[in-house]
Amino acid sequence: MSNNRSGVFIGGLMLGATIGALTGVLVAPRTGRETRKLLKKSADAIPELAEDLSTSVQIQADRLSASALRNWDETLDRLRDAIASGIDASQRESQVLKRQQANQDSDPLAQELERS
């Protein structure tokens, strides 16, 4: 979850930097020609900035997806282990019960006590 938050933070940071730069250009005491030049340079840089932002968000999304898949795989592994342990335990218990039943069937004293 923190990967998603850091992606949002980076995106917000880049957007804030862009807005701050444009505001600074517009408010700075320059001639109209100089301001237009700076605006053109800034406008030319926007596609690159957008691509960087997109790449950053995609990287964060990939990290989050990879983390979710790892967690899912780990959960499935633990579930498989738990099921296997449960099957083993039930088989052992079944064998113990069969032995006890066999011992009772072969012990005449136990049979006599059951009848009483």
Side-chain angles (χ1 to χ4, degrees):
M1 195 60 124
S2 65
N3 286 337
N4 190 25
R5 288 183 183 162
S6 63
V8 170
F9 175 76
I10 290 170
L13 183 68
M14 293 177 83
L15 181 62
T18 303
I19 291 171
L22 288 175
T23 302
V25 166
L26 292 174
V27 177
R30 290 192 171 86
T31 65
R33 178 176 284 170
E34 289 173 347
T35 301
R36 283 191 296 275
K37 240 186 221 183
L38 282 174
L39 286 175
K40 182 169 179 0
K41 284 182 183 179
S42 296
D44 290 343
I46 287 177
E48 186 178 322
L49 180 63
E51 185 178 330
D52 290 346
L53 178 61
S54 173
T55 302
S56 175
V57 169
Q58 183 61 44
I59 288 169
Q60 293 299 327
D62 290 345
R63 286 181 186 165
L64 181 62
S65 296
S67 174
L69 286 175
R70 265 195 315 278
N71 289 341
W72 179 249
D73 288 342
E74 289 170 5
T75 300
L76 287 178
D77 288 343
R78 286 193 306 266
L79 183 58
R80 284 186 194 110
D81 290 345
I83 290 171
S85 296
I87 290 171
D88 288 344
S90 66
Q91 288 174 345
R92 283 193 304 265
E93 188 64 27
S94 176
Q95 290 171 355
V96 167
L97 290 174
K98 285 179 184 177
R99 275 191 235 125
Q100 287 176 349
Q101 183 66 35
N103 287 341
Q104 284 180 353
D105 289 345
S106 65
D107 187 5
L109 180 60
Q111 291 175 356
E112 189 63 37
L113 288 174
E114 284 181 9
R115 287 186 198 140
S116 308

